[in-house]
């Protein structure tokens, strides 16, 4: 039953995909050759004017472009012409660096907030004010202090990933079942051992949920950050191709951004399942 | 061996009431338990039974008074006092062996890995879970989970085992089996035990002494019922013992009416809280009335302490010493 459900859902997905691509193809087919014009004049005009070609690329154009990128993802022909693989690698490296720094900072502070009611109250106003700030608002300050565009975008990733992780860690730690803590108390387990053997495993699913939210936000923010700072990365690639007016490349990049985001999310979803134990 | 292995001395618990003042849950409770004795406490919800147990466990503090265990006042939780929780409280990310080993390694920090699993295995075997060591709690039935809870509590060889309605979440059949197990283990090891229950039959089957508490707030220990049934009582024919219904009716009468009206009952008389009356319900007199046999319990107060049967415990190798 469940297998046939998967199968039927797959069929429906394929049908929707087919419909979408079909509609896209029809909408971008163009109107065919238009009124005859002087060949000299036609040379000056683009394909849109002479052949009635649509200004939007069709699915076949995009597929062809993707194939081109897949054949040679890592070429490097100067600062403004790098393969999509290289651009992605830059973005992923920035996201992971900023994200790991955020993990190192957010989880211990989250533990502190979750375990100590005083620290919870004391740090709450800071978190409440810092959390809703758009990460890109930090960019000028980061550029001014760090004086390096790449490091600044790493900082922006750090600052946007830190809050969901910190808040979820604090929540997970403070919501550990009282009876498990009582088990530790009656066994005279010390604070450090209790943190690692009771609180950490009990809060792990909540902490990882926070990490999953963070990686999603980080991947959203890196595109915008790289559009601002330029140089390298998939965000810069999108903006550069927009300046080149290569809509095909822009659509390709959009697809790739979606795929990588899904992959990052799935990795953390799997990790969450590994540390979740039913009772 | 001492009659005052555990001594509750005038403990009181008050909570700040909303709108100022205090709510007294219970006041000036005195009780002593002998080594190797099984004590049950019975009373309606809200009389503070769980608070008494938590104070014994060191998880809660008294507002005044003290609890002495083995000549030492308790100041917080201790590995000498193991708790079996109502909801088993197993760690779901650890296996059966892991849960018991966690307790063992907490007690004996210097033990090697082999020593820890050997000690844990001994108690897993004792509760009849051999073969399920590597299962996680989620794979166990409710009764098996509680067995792990019992193994975990016993594995640290506590001076006293504290049980907060350990079987109330289980079905009747499983509950019966686990009561048998707990009774067997307590008799074999001479374990001192203190248990909260709502089940009168459970109390009569397991306990040497049954403490009756009046309704809260301001609950008091009304009396201590000494179980007159023989130490070698058996679940299957316990109800055939001529003394059984005497005890049972006495406790049920208390729960139904006297727990509410105890203050009125004591009006004009003094209730000595330090020496709560010890009652040993005797054999009921059979009364034949209109063809039906009914029994009238005959209570006679008895100030003598029961003498405990300790024979045969030393040979098992698991016997507790209360020195």
């Amino acid at each position: 039953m469940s297998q046939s459900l998967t199968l039927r859902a797959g069929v429906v997905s394929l049908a929707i995909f087919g419909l979408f691509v079909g509609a896209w193809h029809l909408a971008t087919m163009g109107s065919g050759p238009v009124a005859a014009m002087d060949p000299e004049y036609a040379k000056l005009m683009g394909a849109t004017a002479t052949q009635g070609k649509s200004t939007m690329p069709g699915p076949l154009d995009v597929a062809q472009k993707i194939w081109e990128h897949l054949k040679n993802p890592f070429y490097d022909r100067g600062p403004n012409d790098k393969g999509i693989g290289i651009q992605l690698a830059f973005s992923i490296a920035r996201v992971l660096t900023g994200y790991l720094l955020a993990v190192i900072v957010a989880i211990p502070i989250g533990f502190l907030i979750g375990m100590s009611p005083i620290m919870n109250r004391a740090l709450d106003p800071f978190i409440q004010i810092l959390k809703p700030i758009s990460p890109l608002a930090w960019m000028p300050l980061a550029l001014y202090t760090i004086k390096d565009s790449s490091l600044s975008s790493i900082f922006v990733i750090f600052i946007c990933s830190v809050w969901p992780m910190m808040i979820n860690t604090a929540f997970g730690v403070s919501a550990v079942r009282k009876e498990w803590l009582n088990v530790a108390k009656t066994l005279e387990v010390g604070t450090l051992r209790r943190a690692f053997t009771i609180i950490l495993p009990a809060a792990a699913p909540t902490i990882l949920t926070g990490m999953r939210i963070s990686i999603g936000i980080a991947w959203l923010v890196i595109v915008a950050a790289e559009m601002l700072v330029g140089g390298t990365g998939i965000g810069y690639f999108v903006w550069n191709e927009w300046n080149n007016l290569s809509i095909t490349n822009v659509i390709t990049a959009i697809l790739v951004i979606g795929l990588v985001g899904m992959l990052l999310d799935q990795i953390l979803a799997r990790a969450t399942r590994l540390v979740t134990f039913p009772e | 061996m001492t009659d005052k292995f555990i001594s509750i001395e005038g403990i009181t618990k008050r909570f700040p009431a909303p709108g100022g003042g205090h709510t007294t849950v219970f006041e000036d409770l005195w009780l002593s338990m002998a080594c190797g004795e099984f004590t049950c406490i019975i009373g309606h919800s809200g009389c503070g039974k769980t608070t008494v147990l938590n104070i014994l466990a060191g998880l809660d503090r008294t507002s005044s008074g003290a609890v002495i265990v083995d000549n030492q006042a308790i100041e917080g939780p201790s590995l000498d006092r193991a708790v079996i929780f109502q909801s088993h409280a197993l760690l779901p990310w650890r296996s059966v062996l892991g849960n018991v080993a966690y307790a063992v390694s907490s007690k004996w920090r210097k033990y090697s890995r082999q020593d820890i699993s050997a000690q844990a295995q001994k108690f897993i075997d004792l509760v009849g879970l051999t073969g399920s060591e590597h299962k996680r709690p989620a794979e166990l039935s409710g009764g098996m989970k509680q067995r792990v809870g019992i193994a975990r509590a016993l594995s640290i060889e506590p001076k006293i085992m504290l049980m907060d309605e350990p079987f109330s979440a289980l079905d009747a059949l499983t509950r019966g089996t686990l009561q048998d197990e707990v009774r067997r283990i307590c008799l074999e090891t001479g374990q001192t035990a203190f248990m909260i229950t709502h089940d009168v039959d459970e109390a009569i089957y397991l306990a040497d002494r049954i403490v009756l508490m009046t309704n809260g707030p301001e609950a008091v220990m009304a009396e201590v019922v000494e179980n007159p049934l023989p130490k070698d009582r058996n679940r299957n024919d316990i109800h055939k013992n001529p003394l059984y219904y005497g005890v049972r009716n006495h406790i049920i009468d208390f729960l139904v009416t006297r727990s509410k009206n105890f203050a009125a009952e004591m009006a004009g008389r003094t209730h000595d809280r330090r020496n709560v009356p010890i009652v040993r319900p005797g054999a009921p007199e059979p009364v034949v009335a209109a063809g039906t046999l009914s029994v009238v319990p005959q209570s006679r107060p008895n100030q003598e302490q029961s003498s405990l049967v300790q024979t045969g415990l030393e040979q098992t190798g698991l016997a507790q010493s209360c020195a």
Side-chain angles (χ1 to χ4, degrees):
Chain A
M1 183 63 212
S2 94
Q3 203 172 10
S4 90
L5 184 72
T6 320
L7 196 74
R8 282 183 295 167
V11 169
V12 176
S13 293
L14 273 177
I16 293 172
F17 181 71
L19 269 175
F20 170 72
V21 172
W24 181 12
H25 181 71
L26 286 176
T28 53
M29 238 170 39
S31 55
V34 283
M37 58 177 82
D38 181 11
E40 289 295 318
Y41 181 60
K43 274 184 192 162
L44 296 172
M45 302 301 287
T48 313
T50 52
Q51 265 122 76
K53 199 175 182 316
S54 167
T55 47
M56 278 298 278
L60 290 172
D61 303 321
V62 172
Q64 200 187 354
K65 199 55 149 181
I66 292 175
W67 181 239
E68 259 175 51
H69 282 300
L70 279 180
K71 271 199 298 194
N72 191 8
F74 297 110
Y75 68 87
D76 187 354
R77 295 180 209 123
N80 271 342
D81 194 6
K82 290 189 192 350
I84 203 162
I86 291 188
Q87 306 285 29
L88 270 179
F90 271 111
S91 296
I92 292 174
R94 282 186 193 125
V95 164
L96 290 186
T97 315
Y99 182 77
L100 287 178
L101 286 173
V103 170
I104 293 166
V105 172
I107 291 179
I109 296 182
F111 251 80
L112 187 69
I113 295 172
M115 286 177 87
S116 147
I118 298 174
M119 292 313 282
N120 185 5
R121 289 279 180 93
L123 291 177
D124 190 56
F126 298 102
I127 294 173
Q128 294 304 330
I129 291 172
L130 293 175
K131 188 181 63 162
I133 297 171
S134 164
L136 293 174
W138 292 98
M139 187 59 95
L141 193 63
L143 286 169
Y144 180 71
T145 25
I146 304 173
K147 296 185 177 69
D148 180 287
S149 63
S150 190
L151 286 180
S152 297
S153 50
I154 290 173
F155 171 77
V156 166
I157 294 303
F158 164 81
I159 206 84
C160 77
S161 329
V162 93
W163 310 115
M165 270 193 257
M166 194 184 286
I167 290 165
N168 263 51
T169 304
F171 174 74
V173 166
S174 65
V176 172
R177 292 255 295 271
K178 189 139 196 283
E179 53 192 36
W180 293 336
L181 296 175
N182 279 345
V183 167
K185 272 191 199 165
T186 56
L187 293 174
E188 295 186 55
V189 173
T191 315
L192 203 63
R193 185 160 182 251
R194 190 178 67 207
F196 280 104
T197 58
I198 304 272
I199 297 173
L200 185 64
T206 324
I207 295 173
L208 271 151
T209 305
M211 290 174 69
R212 193 176 163 190
I213 298 170
S214 282
I215 197 85
I217 294 175
W219 190 243
L220 290 181
V221 166
I222 192 68
V223 174
E226 285 170 347
M227 281 181 179
L228 272 180
V229 298
T232 46
I234 193 74
Y236 172 69
F237 178 81
V238 174
W239 202 249
N240 195 32
E241 294 305 324
W242 161 238
N243 286 336
N244 294 340
L245 223 61
S246 170
I247 304 300
T248 324
N249 265 330
V250 170
I251 295 176
T252 309
I254 287 173
L255 274 175
V256 170
I257 291 169
L259 282 173
V260 173
M262 183 184 79
L263 202 71
L264 292 173
D265 186 63
Q266 287 305 308
I267 290 169
L268 277 152
R270 187 147 303 179
T272 310
R273 276 201 293 280
L274 279 180
V275 298
T276 308
F277 295 95
E279 277 175 58
Chain B
M1 204 181 95
T2 160
D3 281 348
K4 281 195 167 187
F5 182 58
I6 293 152
S7 179
I8 296 175
E9 302 192 345
I11 61 170
T12 301
K13 183 73 187 176
R14 289 190 195 91
F15 290 112
H22 289 279
T23 309
T24 306
V25 187
F26 51 76
E27 198 164 17
D28 204 16
L29 296 189
W30 294 77
L31 181 72
S32 54
M33 284 169 254
C35 180
E37 193 175 42
F38 199 120
T39 309
C40 268
I41 186 160
I42 281 193
H44 288 285
S45 299
C47 72
K49 306 181 295 289
T50 301
T51 313
V52 172
L53 185 126
N54 282 343
I55 288 169
L56 277 171
L59 295 171
D60 206 341
R61 291 185 172 277
T62 58
S63 304
S64 63
V67 179
I68 316 282
V69 175
D70 205 11
N71 299 320
Q72 272 191 320
I74 63 170
E75 285 165 5
S78 155
L79 284 155
D80 290 340
R81 286 165 270 127
V83 184
I84 296 176
F85 298 89
Q86 184 177 6
S87 53
H88 61 75
L90 299 180
L91 308 175
W93 55 88
R94 283 174 176 266
S95 64
V96 168
L97 187 69
N99 267 284
V100 181
Y102 185 68
V104 174
S105 62
S106 302
K107 170 117 186 187
W108 295 283
R109 310 233 161 120
K110 302 251 164 75
Y111 264 26
S112 70
R113 202 169 277 257
Q114 288 95 325
D115 289 344
I116 290 171
S117 30
Q119 172 80 356
Q121 187 67 47
K122 187 164 95 183
F123 287 90
I124 291 170
D125 295 345
L126 183 73
V127 298
L129 281 179
T130 318
S132 302
E133 296 86 353
H134 300 292
K135 287 186 180 157
R136 293 204 192 273
E139 300 168 69
L140 303 177
S141 67
M144 285 165 92
K145 282 180 196 163
Q146 201 50 284
R147 280 172 196 262
V148 183
I150 295 167
R152 178 172 65 184
L154 287 168
S155 68
I156 56 171
E157 299 178 4
K159 287 179 180 164
I160 180 168
M161 199 155 78
L162 303 166
M163 293 176 265
D164 186 358
E165 299 184 45
F167 311 133
S168 62
L170 304 176
D171 64 277
L173 217 61
T174 316
R175 193 186 311 150
T177 332
L178 278 182
Q179 285 166 359
D180 291 345
E181 293 283 326
V182 164
R183 182 159 170 76
R184 174 181 65 83
I185 291 165
C186 284
L187 285 176
E188 270 177 18
T189 60
Q191 181 71 55
T192 313
F194 181 83
M195 176 166 161
I196 294 177
T197 179
H198 275 121
D199 183 340
V200 177
D201 290 319
E202 180 171 275
I204 298 171
Y205 179 53
L206 292 175
D208 301 309
R209 299 200 304 160
I210 301 156
V211 179
L212 304 179
M213 273 185 91
T214 64
N215 290 3
E218 288 168 51
V220 295
M221 285 179 185
E223 44 190 51
V224 175
V225 176
E226 217 161 70
N227 196 340
L229 298 176
K231 193 85 184 172
D232 62 349
R233 54 188 174 264
N234 181 308
R235 160 178 306 285
N236 298 329
D237 55 17
I238 187 172
H239 59 284
K240 292 183 186 135
N241 190 299
L243 298 167
Y244 177 74
Y245 282 99
V247 192
R248 195 169 190 274
N249 291 348
H250 182 84
I251 297 172
I252 288 178
D253 281 343
F254 176 85
L255 288 175
V256 172
T257 52
R258 291 179 59 215
S259 61
K260 283 199 285 276
N261 308 325
F262 190 72
E265 185 185 318
M266 279 295 138
R269 284 185 285 167
T270 49
H271 179 60
D272 184 0
R273 293 177 172 190
R274 274 190 90 132
N275 296 296
V276 175
I278 295 169
V279 181
R280 193 180 167 91
E285 293 171 9
V287 177
V288 182
T292 54
L293 186 75
S294 61
V295 285
V296 179
Q298 203 183 43
S299 301
R300 60 184 166 86
N302 184 345
Q303 294 290 340
E304 285 167 43
Q305 288 283 339
S306 69
S307 63
L308 284 161
V309 183
Q310 289 271 307
T311 47
L313 299 182
E314 287 73 20
Q315 298 116 339
T316 61
L318 285 165
Q320 292 270 315
S321 81
C322 299

